[in-house]
Each structure stands twice: as C-alpha cells, then as structure tokens.
Amino acid sequence: MTSSNGAPDGFLAGCMDRLETPATIAMAQRARALKAKGEEVLSLALGEPDFPTPAGVIEAAHRAALDGQTKYPPVEGTPALKAAIIRKFARENGLTYEPAEVMVSNGGKQVIFNAFMATLNPGDEVIVPRPYWVSYPLIISLFGGIPVFVDCPEESGFRLDAAALEAAITPRTKWLVLNFPNNPTGATTTRADLEAIAEVLRRHPRVHVLSDEIYEHLVYDGQAHVSIAQVAPDLKSRVLTLNGVSKAYAMTGWRVGYVGGPAPLIRAMSGIQSSSTSGICSISQAASVAALDGPSGVVEVMRETYDRRRQMVVAALRQIPQLTCAMPLGAFYVYPGIAACIGRTSAGGRLLRTDEDFAIALLEEQHVAVVHGSAFGKGPYLRLSYATSDEILIESCARIATFVAGLT
Ligand SMILES: Cc1ncc(COP(=O)(O)O)c(C=O)c1O
C-alpha cells in the first residue's frame, strides 16, 4: 500500500496530512507548467518585489565573503546584525530591545515556524484574522494548533474589529496573529484600531501577539505604520514583532527575517532553530546589516513605484464592469471582488463555480496567473500582486477585461 504521494502507507507522519501546498505556490507551479509548454504567461501570483537588491547590499555581501565571514554564524544571529536590528526597531518603531530579545531566522517564515513550534500544544487556539496569509494556518495546524478565524469584512477596509476579536477568544487561545499591512488585501491598521485591540488583550493576559510587520514600509496616502508593542508598551512582553528584509529591500532570496520579543520565548525559538537550520547564512546577514543601516531613499523609491502601480491597477480594474476593487492602503496587493462573475461561463466554456475556477480559467485562456481569494480564506476574490512591471500590469488588466467581457 502507498499513500497519495507515493510513500509507503503509514510511513509519513500524521501531521503531513495537514501540510498542503500553499495555493500561491500551486498557482505559480501551474503558470510555470504553461510556460514550459512555450506559452507567454503573465504572473501576478507571487508576492515578490521585481526590483534588484540594492547595489550597496550586494557589495557588503561580497566584502563579507572576501573578509572570511564564511564560518558557522551564531544561531540567533551575528552580533552585527542583531545590533542593526536593535537600531532599526528603535529608529522606526520606537521599540527598545536588548540583544537577548532579538533573533535572526531564515526569513520571516521561520520566525513563525519557530514561535508556533515553541509554544503550541495540540488543541491550542490561534486567532487568525481572515483573509490571511496562507502560511499561518498551515504552520499552526502542523503543530496541532487550531486556527480560529475572525472575519475582516471588505466594508470595514479588511481591518480587525476589536469586538469580533474578543468574541473569538476562549480559554484555549494562545496567540493572536496581526498582519498589517496585510497580505492578501493590502489593508493597514490605525493607531485607534490597535488601541482597541490592546484593550481587549489587557482583559486576556494569556494571549500573546505575533505581529507580522514585514510590509511596514509599504504604506500609502500619507499613513504611518504603527506597531502594537509601541502603541501598548505594557503588552510588549507578550508581543513578537516580526520583520524581515525580503519585501522592503527586494531581498527575498537572501532569506533573512528577524523578530523582537520576550527573552524566554526568543531563547526557546533559538533552541528550535539550533536543532533545525542552525544560524542563518553569514553572507546574507552581513548584507542585511547594510540594508538596515543603508540609506532609506532606496526603500522610498520602491514605495513610490508601488504606489503609482497601485493606483494604475485599481483604476484599470474599476473599468471592468463585473469587478469591485477597494483601494488598498499598503503592501503590494489588490484584492478585487468577483461575485458578479460566479455562476457564469468563460469564453473557453468553463463554468465558474468558484473564484478558483475563475483563476484557473483566466490562466488557461488568457495566460494571466493570479491567486483566488478563497485560498486566503475569503472568496470570491482574487489577489493580484503589483510587484511587477507596468507593461505586465497593463497587459494583465487588459486580458482580465477581455476574459470578463467573454463571460456568458
Ligand atoms: C505576510 C507575510 N509574512 C511573512 C512572509 C515571509 O517572508 P520571508 O520568509 O521571505 O521573510 C511573507 C512572504 O510572502 C508574507 O507575505
């Protein structure tokens, strides 16, 4: 007997049943398969900056390699990078951390993995505002935790309502995940929202917060990003403030994420990392020091470009009669609603029962890759990443318009 992935029956651990391929990666794989057949596919499916890593960062990596920074680095991060992270938290978030309160991981994703592995017992609940980044529930479930979803409706800008949060808290709640600016909706949060959320958390002293602020630099229309640990300093000892260089500095391939939080939890997370990946690539850590300490103008140029594209894409999508499109205030995603398209048939004869049917038909018929909203827990929507060139964005929106115009 073999299981569905070809392994002998009973060989894979039970938790593997809960480990699905994230829809974002599945859609990118479909797009790659089409490309391999020689088709020209336009991809708005992946959340990856299209900019090159800043030259100064690459030079710092080169220097580090030549200087012999090629040995096993400390598990929790090099002293130089930890110092740069501490400066960054103080400068940009008004947060003071000691060296024992920060650590570096293999991307923000490993921070989440370490945190949940270190704390979740089977049946522990983690509140995840919905729509959510796909990896949260996957990682929570992997460790036997239960994701408890709280809806963030489009009518309220996909923001988290404090009363809805409180209604979801039970004696088993261990964590609340906050992710603003948000993937997939681009929603941001306000100081007032965070103050209301903090008020709820004060009434529930067992609940910790994983605040994923990886898109913090990408906010628009004159907003300023705020961290919950800054808004509510009394809660700082139960907040993990997660960040990384992937999105802000176009460094997805360097695999550096970092976190500030209470020392005992950081120690536990570091213990897990020690037994899994050890320290993070020494060259990438040197590069990340240059990124964090480097000129902020680099980030600002990218932010302005995303802002322009955001407005261009939303304007184009709003021209398409069957779509609704809220203006996102952060990150580099738009999340148009496609309710009016559901139940209709594409020009290629595909019945669109769900937003996933829509995304697959759009890819097959117009060669545009997007991710369906139900993969992020909320359909019928699509998530489009505008971290790609103007030409690709303009052509993709035109193809989406053609696809929708062809529905009967
Ligand atoms: C919301 C969010 N958090 C964390 C990450 C992790 O990024 P990385 O592991 O590259 O630091 C991503 C990447 O897509 C993300 O969208």
Side-chain angles (χ1 to χ4, degrees), residues 182-241:
N182 181 263
N183 175 7
T185 62
T188 55
T189 193
T190 63
R191 181 173 285 272
D193 288 342
L194 290 179
E195 277 164 0
I197 290 167
E199 231 6 80
V200 171
L201 293 169
R202 286 187 186 104
R203 289 193 284 276
H204 300 276
R206 271 178 41 87
V207 180
H208 285 59
V209 182
L210 176 73
S211 183
D212 180 344
E213 303 180 12
I214 203 149
Y215 293 98
E216 81 168 320
H217 290 107
L218 305 180
V219 291
Y220 312 112
D221 298 345
Q223 299 170 92
H225 173 76
V226 267
S227 299
I228 184 141
Q230 181 186 21
V231 167
D234 56 313
L235 301 183
K236 183 166 164 257
S237 62
R238 43 185 170 123
V239 174
L240 279 182
T241 306

Side-chain angles (χ1 to χ4, degrees), residues 107-109 133 136 179 183 212 214-215 246-247 255:
K109 200 178 245 184
W133 181 44
Y136 304 130
N179 170 220
N183 175 7
D212 180 344
I214 203 149
Y215 293 98
S246 288
K247 315 288 178 174
R255 308 310 304 130

Side-chain angles (χ1 to χ4, degrees), residues 73-128:
V75 170
E76 74 286 357
T78 61
L81 182 52
K82 287 177 69 171
I85 290 166
I86 288 169
R87 285 193 291 277
K88 178 262 178 262
F89 276 132
R91 186 177 63 241
E92 296 181 350
N93 309 100
L95 294 173
T96 308
Y97 287 111
E98 297 297 323
E101 295 175 316
V102 297
M103 75 177 279
V104 182
S105 289
N106 195 53
K109 200 178 245 184
Q110 195 186 14
V111 170
I112 302 167
F113 194 95
N114 289 340
F116 288 150
M117 188 174 198
T119 56
L120 291 182
N121 290 311
D124 283 344
E125 294 176 2
V126 181
I127 295 182
V128 180

